[in-house]
Amino acid sequence: QQQVKQSPQSLIVQKGGISIINCAYENTAFDYFPWYQQFPGKGPALLIAIRPDVSEKKEGRFTISFNKSAKQFSLHIMDSQPGDSATYFCAASANFGNEKLTFGTGTRLTIIP
Amino acid sequence: GAGVSQSPSNKVTEKGKDVELRCDPISGHTALYWYRQSLGQGLEFLIYFQGNSAPDKSGLPSDRFSAERTGGSVSTLTIQRTQQEDSAVYLCASSLVGRIYNEQFFGPGTRLTVL
């Protein structure tokens, strides 16, 4: 029940295209859903996060869509750039994010020119 | 200000040896987490410290793993009698507590290789 499932495992997108990564969760106690971006040799860094009382959050080229009834959320990267090439992890936490994060298995995104 | 720091950045050890990994959280952050990232895997929770509360050790994979946090700041993760399956990147994160939706800030990790 603690699992967060993430797909696809890898994704190749042309520069300027839209990258979409999907996640699903089971634990209804989760109330905080962040996305982390990780570059090789670095620790993950928070990209964007959403609460379950909103269906969408947008920050620049990055948008989270959240479907509470389906227990799914997704990351959309608009106008994808080569600098976006990284591994992306979705995650979930309970208690308003004041507990451990349960991570998806990650998506390796490659943006080709 | 300074972020979360971890040392060493790389550690190579022989099977059966003990290792200690260190984490210096962001100053003022009362919550500290350890996660493990195995090759091709996501991040797996290990242990969580919050203030003076008893730590949440529910993610520790075996009794060979232990961690402590001294003075509410620096934390050390100890792995005794290391095994090859312990090879992974060990990540530390810290956050504020008491506000909602606190971001966890991650360190660069310690890459552990057990030969």
Side-chain angles (χ1 to χ4, degrees):
Chain A
Q1 193 176 14
Q2 294 294 321
Q3 204 173 15
V4 175
K5 296 182 180 179
Q6 182 173 348
S7 63
Q9 191 173 19
S10 63
L11 181 62
I12 299 174
V13 175
Q14 205 132 32
K15 179 182 174 182
I18 303 173
S19 304
I20 302 174
I21 304 171
N22 300 298
C23 285
Y25 65 97
E26 299 172 354
N27 187 349
T28 54
F30 288 149
D31 57 13
Y32 174 64
F33 302 90
W35 284 88
Y36 278 81
Q37 180 188 54
Q38 185 178 31
F39 293 104
K42 305 290 186 183
L46 180 66
L47 186 64
I48 187 173
I50 197 167
R51 298 158 14 189
D53 56 343
V54 298
S55 60
E56 184 175 282
K57 182 175 182 181
K58 184 176 181 179
E59 290 184 359
R61 296 185 295 108
F62 302 92
T63 300
I64 299 179
S65 297
F66 185 80
N67 185 329
K68 187 174 181 178
S69 61
K71 293 187 283 187
Q72 295 175 345
F73 58 110
S74 60
L75 175 69
H76 291 63
I77 305 175
M78 311 299 287
D79 187 26
S80 299
Q81 299 298 311
D84 297 331
S85 297
T87 300
Y88 292 80
F89 292 94
C90 63
S93 177
N95 193 21
F96 306 109
N98 286 300
E99 291 190 2
K100 64 187 180 187
L101 290 166
T102 299
F103 284 89
T105 50
T107 297
R108 179 171 289 186
L109 175 64
T110 303
I111 307 301
I112 55 175
Chain B
V4 177
S5 60
Q6 294 186 243
S7 61
S9 55
N10 281 283
K11 177 71 176 179
V12 180
T13 190
E14 294 179 348
K15 178 182 173 181
K17 296 285 180 67
D18 298 352
V19 295
E20 286 189 351
L21 312 180
R22 177 187 169 106
C23 172
D24 284 85
I26 293 172
S27 178
H29 281 191
T30 57
L32 187 148
Y33 305 79
W34 284 97
Y35 295 88
R36 177 169 72 173
Q37 185 172 23
S38 303
L39 186 64
Q41 301 295 313
L43 288 86
E44 171 191 18
F45 166 76
L46 296 177
I47 188 169
Y48 163 44
F49 296 91
Q50 202 288 96
N52 295 320
S53 302
D56 176 358
K57 303 180 181 180
S58 61
L60 295 178
S62 78
D63 58 8
R64 297 186 295 105
F65 288 72
S66 63
E68 63 177 19
R69 189 177 186 191
T70 54
S73 180
V74 172
S75 177
T76 302
L77 177 69
T78 301
I79 309 173
Q80 296 179 310
R81 304 181 303 281
T82 52
Q83 304 295 311
Q84 288 183 332
E85 60 262 28
D86 299 334
S87 296
V89 175
Y90 289 82
L91 291 157
C92 175
S94 71
S95 73
L96 293 168
V97 175
R99 294 165 22 188
I100 59 174
Y101 308 120
N102 292 300
E103 175 182 352
Q104 291 186 25
F105 293 83
F106 282 81
T110 293
R111 181 175 296 276
L112 175 66
T113 303
V114 182
L115 302 177

